[in-house]
Tab-separated table of all heavy atoms in Angstrom:
chain	number	residue	atom	x	y	z
A	6	ARG	N	21.495	-197.182	19.013
A	6	ARG	CA	20.997	-198.527	19.355
A	6	ARG	C	20.945	-198.731	20.866
A	6	ARG	O	20.002	-199.304	21.388
A	6	ARG	CB	21.890	-199.577	18.707
A	6	ARG	CG	21.444	-200.978	18.945
A	6	ARG	CD	22.320	-201.956	18.219
A	6	ARG	NE	21.989	-203.304	18.643
A	6	ARG	CZ	22.755	-204.335	18.423
A	6	ARG	NH1	23.882	-204.205	17.770
A	6	ARG	NH2	22.390	-205.522	18.843
A	7	MET	N	21.969	-198.255	21.566
A	7	MET	CA	21.995	-198.383	23.026
A	7	MET	C	20.843	-197.611	23.663
A	7	MET	O	20.220	-198.080	24.621
A	7	MET	CB	23.328	-197.877	23.584
A	7	MET	CG	24.509	-198.770	23.255
A	7	MET	SD	24.448	-200.335	24.105
A	7	MET	CE	24.774	-199.812	25.753
A	8	ARG	N	20.540	-196.412	23.146
A	8	ARG	CA	19.420	-195.631	23.688
A	8	ARG	C	18.096	-196.359	23.473
A	8	ARG	O	17.259	-196.428	24.376
A	8	ARG	CB	19.369	-194.251	23.045
A	8	ARG	CG	20.358	-193.266	23.618
A	8	ARG	CD	20.050	-191.850	23.168
A	8	ARG	NE	20.030	-191.696	21.727
A	8	ARG	CZ	21.080	-191.358	20.980
A	8	ARG	NH1	22.251	-191.160	21.546
A	8	ARG	NH2	20.954	-191.227	19.677
A	9	VAL	N	17.907	-196.909	22.277
A	9	VAL	CA	16.661	-197.624	21.974
A	9	VAL	C	16.536	-198.870	22.851
A	9	VAL	O	15.474	-199.124	23.439
A	9	VAL	CB	16.592	-197.988	20.470
A	9	VAL	CG1	15.467	-198.959	20.192
A	9	VAL	CG2	16.432	-196.735	19.640
A	10	GLU	N	17.616	-199.655	22.958
A	10	GLU	CA	17.563	-200.860	23.785
A	10	GLU	C	17.336	-200.514	25.257
A	10	GLU	O	16.605	-201.209	25.949
A	10	GLU	CB	18.852	-201.663	23.629
A	10	GLU	CG	18.968	-202.366	22.297
A	10	GLU	CD	20.285	-203.089	22.127
A	10	GLU	OE1	21.153	-203.003	23.022
A	10	GLU	OE2	20.449	-203.751	21.092
A	11	GLY	N	17.948	-199.435	25.726
A	11	GLY	CA	17.733	-199.011	27.107
A	11	GLY	C	16.294	-198.603	27.357
A	11	GLY	O	15.703	-198.942	28.386
A	12	ALA	N	15.711	-197.880	26.407
A	12	ALA	CA	14.315	-197.463	26.557
A	12	ALA	C	13.381	-198.669	26.546
A	12	ALA	O	12.457	-198.761	27.363
A	12	ALA	CB	13.940	-196.494	25.439
A	13	ILE	N	13.622	-199.598	25.641
A	13	ILE	CA	12.776	-200.791	25.565
A	13	ILE	C	12.905	-201.618	26.835
A	13	ILE	O	11.906	-202.092	27.386
A	13	ILE	CB	13.136	-201.626	24.319
A	13	ILE	CG1	12.689	-200.897	23.058
A	13	ILE	CG2	12.502	-203.006	24.373
A	13	ILE	CD1	13.174	-201.525	21.771
A	14	THR	N	14.117	-201.779	27.324
A	14	THR	CA	14.327	-202.546	28.550
A	14	THR	C	13.639	-201.878	29.732
A	14	THR	O	13.023	-202.538	30.559
A	14	THR	CB	15.828	-202.707	28.838
A	14	THR	OG1	16.447	-203.320	27.706
A	14	THR	CG2	16.075	-203.556	30.064
A	15	GLY	N	13.708	-200.551	29.808
A	15	GLY	CA	13.051	-199.827	30.892
A	15	GLY	C	11.538	-199.993	30.849
A	15	GLY	O	10.901	-200.231	31.879
A	16	VAL	N	10.973	-199.879	29.661
A	16	VAL	CA	9.522	-200.032	29.524
A	16	VAL	C	9.096	-201.453	29.875
A	16	VAL	O	8.100	-201.663	30.582
A	16	VAL	CB	9.072	-199.657	28.093
A	16	VAL	CG1	7.643	-200.074	27.831
A	16	VAL	CG2	9.236	-198.168	27.871
A	17	LEU	N	9.850	-202.447	29.406
A	17	LEU	CA	9.512	-203.834	29.732
A	17	LEU	C	9.644	-204.093	31.235
A	17	LEU	O	8.829	-204.811	31.817
A	17	LEU	CB	10.390	-204.803	28.953
A	17	LEU	CG	10.107	-204.898	27.457
A	17	LEU	CD1	11.130	-205.799	26.779
A	17	LEU	CD2	8.705	-205.392	27.200
A	18	GLY	N	10.657	-203.507	31.854
A	18	GLY	CA	10.809	-203.654	33.300
A	18	GLY	C	9.631	-203.060	34.053
A	18	GLY	O	9.121	-203.661	35.005
A	19	LEU	N	9.187	-201.875	33.626
A	19	LEU	CA	8.020	-201.264	34.266
A	19	LEU	C	6.770	-202.112	34.057
A	19	LEU	O	5.935	-202.237	34.969
A	19	LEU	CB	7.803	-199.854	33.730
A	19	LEU	CG	8.828	-198.812	34.175
A	19	LEU	CD1	8.581	-197.492	33.455
A	19	LEU	CD2	8.776	-198.622	35.680
A	20	CYS	N	6.631	-202.699	32.871
A	20	CYS	CA	5.478	-203.568	32.607
A	20	CYS	C	5.501	-204.797	33.509
A	20	CYS	O	4.460	-205.202	34.036
A	20	CYS	CB	5.452	-203.997	31.145
A	20	CYS	SG	5.014	-202.676	30.009
A	21	VAL	N	6.673	-205.370	33.696
A	21	VAL	CA	6.783	-206.549	34.562
A	21	VAL	C	6.456	-206.174	36.006
A	21	VAL	O	5.723	-206.892	36.695
A	21	VAL	CB	8.191	-207.182	34.452
A	21	VAL	CG1	8.416	-208.212	35.533
A	21	VAL	CG2	8.366	-207.807	33.093
A	22	ILE	N	6.975	-205.037	36.459
A	22	ILE	CA	6.680	-204.598	37.829
A	22	ILE	C	5.194	-204.336	37.998
A	22	ILE	O	4.589	-204.742	38.996
A	22	ILE	CB	7.518	-203.353	38.178
A	22	ILE	CG1	8.991	-203.744	38.293
A	22	ILE	CG2	7.035	-202.702	39.461
A	22	ILE	CD1	9.934	-202.569	38.413
A	23	ALA	N	4.584	-203.663	37.015
A	23	ALA	CA	3.145	-203.407	37.089
A	23	ALA	C	2.357	-204.710	37.095
A	23	ALA	O	1.373	-204.847	37.841
A	23	ALA	CB	2.714	-202.532	35.913
A	24	MET	N	2.789	-205.679	36.292
A	24	MET	CA	2.101	-206.969	36.257
A	24	MET	C	2.192	-207.668	37.603
A	24	MET	O	1.201	-208.211	38.101
A	24	MET	CB	2.718	-207.861	35.174
A	24	MET	CG	2.049	-209.210	35.045
A	24	MET	SD	2.851	-210.251	33.834
A	24	MET	CE	4.361	-210.651	34.674
A	25	VAL	N	3.369	-207.629	38.215
A	25	VAL	CA	3.545	-208.274	39.515
A	25	VAL	C	2.679	-207.598	40.562
A	25	VAL	O	2.040	-208.264	41.382
A	25	VAL	CB	5.034	-208.268	39.928
A	25	VAL	CG1	5.205	-208.671	41.374
A	25	VAL	CG2	5.823	-209.192	39.031
A	26	VAL	N	2.635	-206.266	40.536
A	26	VAL	CA	1.821	-205.539	41.511
A	26	VAL	C	0.344	-205.846	41.303
A	26	VAL	O	-0.387	-206.109	42.265
A	26	VAL	CB	2.095	-204.021	41.411
A	26	VAL	CG1	1.070	-203.230	42.194
A	26	VAL	CG2	3.493	-203.711	41.896
A	27	LEU	N	-0.096	-205.828	40.059
A	27	LEU	CA	-1.513	-206.094	39.786
A	27	LEU	C	-1.895	-207.526	40.131
A	27	LEU	O	-2.929	-207.777	40.741
A	27	LEU	CB	-1.838	-205.801	38.324
A	27	LEU	CG	-1.812	-204.331	37.928
A	27	LEU	CD1	-2.014	-204.197	36.430
A	27	LEU	CD2	-2.875	-203.563	38.678
A	28	ILE	N	-1.080	-208.470	39.731
A	28	ILE	CA	-1.397	-209.872	40.014
A	28	ILE	C	-1.238	-210.162	41.498
A	28	ILE	O	-2.039	-210.876	42.089
A	28	ILE	CB	-0.530	-210.818	39.161
A	28	ILE	CG1	-0.955	-210.701	37.701
A	28	ILE	CG2	-0.652	-212.256	39.631
A	28	ILE	CD1	-0.111	-211.503	36.754
A	29	GLY	N	-0.198	-209.597	42.108
A	29	GLY	CA	0.011	-209.819	43.537
A	29	GLY	C	-1.108	-209.220	44.379
A	29	GLY	O	-1.537	-209.807	45.370
A	30	GLY	N	-1.615	-208.065	43.963
A	30	GLY	CA	-2.688	-207.429	44.715
A	30	GLY	C	-4.029	-208.111	44.526
A	30	GLY	O	-4.888	-208.069	45.400
A	31	ALA	N	-4.219	-208.730	43.386
A	31	ALA	CA	-5.502	-209.360	43.095
A	31	ALA	C	-5.379	-210.875	43.014
A	31	ALA	O	-6.163	-211.532	42.339
A	31	ALA	CB	-6.049	-208.809	41.783
A	32	SER	N	-4.407	-211.450	43.681
A	32	SER	CA	-4.200	-212.892	43.560
A	32	SER	C	-5.360	-213.698	44.135
A	32	SER	O	-5.647	-214.783	43.672
A	32	SER	CB	-2.898	-213.303	44.239
A	32	SER	OG	-2.980	-213.013	45.625
A	33	ASP	N	-6.047	-213.162	45.142
A	33	ASP	CA	-7.189	-213.896	45.691
A	33	ASP	C	-8.322	-214.011	44.684
A	33	ASP	O	-8.983	-215.043	44.600
A	33	ASP	CB	-7.697	-213.195	46.955
A	33	ASP	CG	-6.683	-213.255	48.085
A	33	ASP	OD1	-5.839	-214.179	48.053
A	33	ASP	OD2	-6.718	-212.381	48.959
A	34	SER	N	-8.527	-212.964	43.893
A	34	SER	CA	-9.604	-213.039	42.906
A	34	SER	C	-9.243	-213.970	41.760
A	34	SER	O	-10.114	-214.553	41.141
A	34	SER	CB	-9.923	-211.641	42.364
A	34	SER	OG	-8.807	-211.114	41.677
A	35	PHE	N	-7.954	-214.120	41.442
A	35	PHE	CA	-7.551	-215.029	40.375
A	35	PHE	C	-7.660	-216.481	40.810
A	35	PHE	O	-7.933	-217.351	40.014
A	35	PHE	CB	-6.118	-214.747	39.923
A	35	PHE	CG	-5.992	-213.531	39.049
A	35	PHE	CD1	-5.090	-212.535	39.367
A	35	PHE	CD2	-6.773	-213.380	37.925
A	35	PHE	CE1	-4.971	-211.417	38.567
A	35	PHE	CE2	-6.665	-212.271	37.118
A	35	PHE	CZ	-5.764	-211.286	37.447
A	36	VAL	N	-7.388	-216.751	42.077
A	36	VAL	CA	-7.443	-218.130	42.556
A	36	VAL	C	-8.865	-218.643	42.489
A	36	VAL	O	-9.137	-219.705	41.975
A	36	VAL	CB	-6.857	-218.240	43.984
A	36	VAL	CG1	-7.077	-219.626	44.536
A	36	VAL	CG2	-5.393	-217.898	43.967
A	37	GLY	N	-9.800	-217.872	42.986
A	37	GLY	CA	-11.209	-218.206	42.876
A	37	GLY	C	-11.622	-219.408	43.710
A	37	GLY	O	-10.828	-220.023	44.402
A	38	SER	N	-12.897	-219.727	43.625
A	38	SER	CA	-13.438	-220.802	44.446
A	38	SER	C	-13.054	-222.173	43.904
A	38	SER	O	-12.923	-223.120	44.657
A	38	SER	CB	-14.956	-220.679	44.521
A	38	SER	OG	-15.510	-220.811	43.226
A	39	THR	N	-12.877	-222.315	42.595
A	39	THR	CA	-12.525	-223.614	42.029
A	39	THR	C	-11.160	-224.067	42.532
A	39	THR	O	-10.985	-225.211	42.933
A	39	THR	CB	-12.514	-223.548	40.490
A	39	THR	OG1	-13.755	-223.050	40.043
A	39	THR	CG2	-12.254	-224.905	39.901
A	40	ALA	N	-10.193	-223.141	42.539
A	40	ALA	CA	-8.865	-223.490	43.028
A	40	ALA	C	-8.905	-223.744	44.528
A	40	ALA	O	-8.199	-224.619	45.039
A	40	ALA	CB	-7.866	-222.377	42.707
A	41	ALA	N	-9.718	-222.988	45.239
A	41	ALA	CA	-9.813	-223.193	46.677
A	41	ALA	C	-10.454	-224.544	46.988
A	41	ALA	O	-10.073	-225.205	47.962
A	41	ALA	CB	-10.628	-222.068	47.313
A	42	ASP	N	-11.390	-224.981	46.155
A	42	ASP	CA	-12.041	-226.274	46.370
A	42	ASP	C	-11.077	-227.426	46.106
A	42	ASP	O	-11.042	-228.400	46.849
A	42	ASP	CB	-13.264	-226.423	45.458
A	42	ASP	CG	-14.372	-225.442	45.828
A	42	ASP	OD1	-14.332	-224.916	46.966
A	42	ASP	OD2	-15.239	-225.198	44.977
A	43	THR	N	-10.294	-227.320	45.037
A	43	THR	CA	-9.411	-228.421	44.671
A	43	THR	C	-8.056	-228.342	45.348
A	43	THR	O	-7.370	-229.343	45.478
A	43	THR	CB	-9.183	-228.449	43.148
A	43	THR	OG1	-8.567	-227.218	42.750
A	43	THR	CG2	-10.488	-228.646	42.406
């Protein structure tokens, strides 16, 4: 159980880091002109 939970936690951590990197790198495209206008 500890091995499975450790593996799942590691994978979820990598997913969160990848999400932060992807969103952080492309945050200007997500904001867009509508958010910049308002």
Side-chain angles (χ1 to χ4, degrees):
R6 182 177 171 196
M7 290 291 290
R8 281 193 303 269
V9 168
E10 287 177 357
I13 290 171
T14 304
V16 168
L17 289 175
L19 289 174
C20 289
V21 168
I22 291 171
M24 181 183 71
V25 169
V26 168
L27 290 174
I28 291 176
S32 63
D33 294 336
S34 64
F35 284 127
V36 173
S38 62
T39 306
D42 293 342
T43 61

